[in-house]
């Protein structure tokens, strides 16, 4: 059913760079949308990779900057994408400046939460927030605004070390600013079952995370890395690729959580 009043807001986060956050936001978003759900992607990363990966260009106005500053409404900022049911609030490089502006203001952790709570989200089943690779104010704003965090973990050495730091931060934010916040799930990305290292990370993640770990593994798949340069989610670029199938499988898991 569309327009479920129980909109779920998920922040896709990891302070490590290049671990599949944006790839997951784009492709999980698209895969949930094709299940006849309404999904809103919010590009909170000044790199604006989710924006270009969804075929849009950076926002000079009516993007994330003017949305969180309250200049423009949600309706004014939302743009559609090639996937029916998948919309976007565009990111912009000057958002990096916004992070600095925010730093000197009161209630600086609450800008996104405030903008979302005063918006009508009833059209959306899911809101996915693409976070930058840091635990700075933008990521904190996402975690304060979210119901849950979806962590992407690259199947590589040291992946789990950073994870405990991130989980501590989530606990702190939950204690101080956002009681609703939960770890919604953890997904292993760039997984290669032929590699001993991937299997070792998997085993440790399984022990450390238990049920939080999604059963779906996102394999390393070249189609996933090619699709953004065509401005498309992988299901429009190569629906039969292992990457496309894995994100469809992750979407089913997310929908059933
Ligand atoms: N499963 C995958 N298979 C192959 N390539 C992938 C996969 N996931 C991501 N990539 C590629 O790896 C790079 C990093 O991925 P992505 O941009 O999603 O990570 P990120 O965590 O959002 O990075 P950043 O922290 O810089 O925002 C990109 O070039 C992307 O295309
Ligand atoms: Mg990214």
């Amino acid at each position: 059913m569309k327009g479920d009043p129980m909109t779920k807001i998920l922040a896709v986060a990891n302070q490590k760079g290049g671990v599949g956050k944006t790839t997951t936001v784009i492709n999980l978003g698209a895969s949930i949308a094709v299940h006849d759900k309404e999904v809103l992607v919010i590009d909170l990363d000044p790199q604006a990779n989710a924006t270009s990966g969804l075929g849009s260009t950076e926002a000079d106005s009516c993007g994330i900057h003017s949305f969180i500053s309250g200049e423009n409404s949600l309706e004014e900022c939302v743009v559609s994408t090639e996937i029916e049911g998948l919309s976007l609030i565009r990111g912009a490089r000057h958002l990096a400046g916004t992070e600095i502006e925010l730093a000197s203001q009161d209630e600086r952790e609450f800008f996104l939460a405030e903008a979302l709570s005063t918006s009508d989200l009833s059209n959306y089943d899911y809101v996915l927030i693409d976070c930058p690779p840091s635990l700075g104010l933008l990521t904190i704003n996402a975690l304060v605004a979210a119901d849950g965090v979806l962590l992407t973990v690259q199947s590589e050495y040291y992946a789990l070390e950073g994870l405990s730091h991130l989980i501590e931060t989530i606990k702190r934010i939950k204690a101080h600013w956002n009681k609703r916040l939960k770890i919604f799930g953890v997904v292993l990305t760039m997984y290669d079952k032929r590699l001993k290292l991937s299997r070792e990370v998997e085993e440790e993640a399984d022990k450390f995370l238990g049920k939080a770990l999604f059963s779906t593994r996102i394999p390393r798949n070249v189609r996933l890395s090619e699709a953004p340069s065509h401005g498309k989610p992988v299901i429009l670029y190569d629906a039969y690729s292992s990457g496309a199938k894995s994100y469809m499988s992750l979407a089913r898991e997310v929908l059933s959580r």
Side-chain angles (χ1 to χ4, degrees):
M1 192 184 89
K2 292 201 178 191
D4 190 321
M6 297 295 288
T7 308
K8 202 164 241 145
I9 304 175
L10 299 177
V12 178
N14 191 329
Q15 78 274 29
K16 269 190 91 139
V19 296
K21 293 181 289 294
T22 303
T23 304
T24 297
V25 165
I26 292 172
N27 293 298
L28 176 62
S31 303
I32 292 175
V34 300
H35 283 84
D36 203 23
K37 300 283 179 195
E38 288 290 329
V39 182
L40 173 65
V41 165
I42 298 182
D43 189 350
L44 198 61
D45 183 356
Q47 298 178 98
N49 294 146
T51 300
S52 55
L54 283 169
S56 270
T57 48
E58 265 190 64
D60 284 330
S61 58
C62 294
I64 184 61
H65 176 272
S66 53
F67 178 60
I68 59 175
S69 66
E71 258 165 75
N72 290 107
S73 67
L74 181 84
E75 291 74 20
E76 288 168 327
C77 294
V78 166
V79 297
S80 56
T81 71
E82 261 190 80
I83 300 261
E84 200 192 328
L86 183 65
S87 323
L88 168 71
I89 296 184
R90 292 169 301 158
R93 235 165 302 165
H94 62 249
L95 195 60
T98 306
E99 186 161 26
I100 296 163
E101 283 164 33
L102 281 181
S104 61
Q105 297 189 32
D106 290 344
E107 307 275 293
R108 59 195 179 184
E109 295 85 7
F110 291 89
F111 278 80
L112 181 61
E114 176 71 18
L116 285 174
S117 68
T118 53
S119 301
D120 179 9
L121 293 178
S122 61
N123 282 334
Y124 299 103
D125 299 291
Y126 287 86
V127 175
L128 300 180
I129 307 170
D130 191 21
C131 295
S134 86
L135 289 174
L137 264 182
L138 288 169
T139 298
I140 290 174
N141 264 265
L143 297 178
V144 171
D147 303 305
V149 198
L150 199 162
L151 303 171
T152 59
V153 170
Q154 192 179 342
S155 316
E156 56 151 40
Y157 206 56
Y158 294 134
L160 295 172
E161 267 179 34
L163 201 59
S164 17
H165 182 45
L166 183 52
I167 289 172
E168 280 310 308
T169 305
I170 291 166
K171 281 187 186 152
R172 257 203 321 278
I173 287 173
K174 187 181 166 77
H176 292 295
W177 292 311
N178 179 8
K179 289 195 174 50
R180 299 192 325 276
L181 189 65
K182 290 195 176 65
I183 294 182
F184 181 76
V186 182
V187 61
L188 283 186
T189 64
M190 297 179 237
Y191 179 79
D192 184 345
K193 63 172 181 281
R194 294 165 306 180
L195 294 182
K196 191 159 164 259
L197 183 57
S198 274
R199 295 197 309 273
E200 279 170 6
V201 172
E202 178 179 37
E203 232 170 75
E204 249 190 86
D206 197 37
K207 258 188 256 159
F208 181 57
L209 297 162
K211 274 198 290 200
L213 186 66
F214 288 109
S215 333
T216 302
R217 307 282 177 257
I218 306 299
R220 197 174 272 286
N221 173 230
V222 69
R223 296 310 213 191
L224 282 171
S225 57
E226 288 166 356
S229 63
H230 300 267
K232 289 178 194 296
V234 73
I235 38 172
L236 291 184
Y237 179 63
D238 184 352
Y240 297 100
S241 61
S242 64
K245 287 178 190 158
S246 67
Y247 275 107
M248 282 302 270
S249 156
L250 183 63
R252 287 191 291 272
E253 274 195 77
V254 166
L255 288 169
S256 67
R257 268 202 183 183

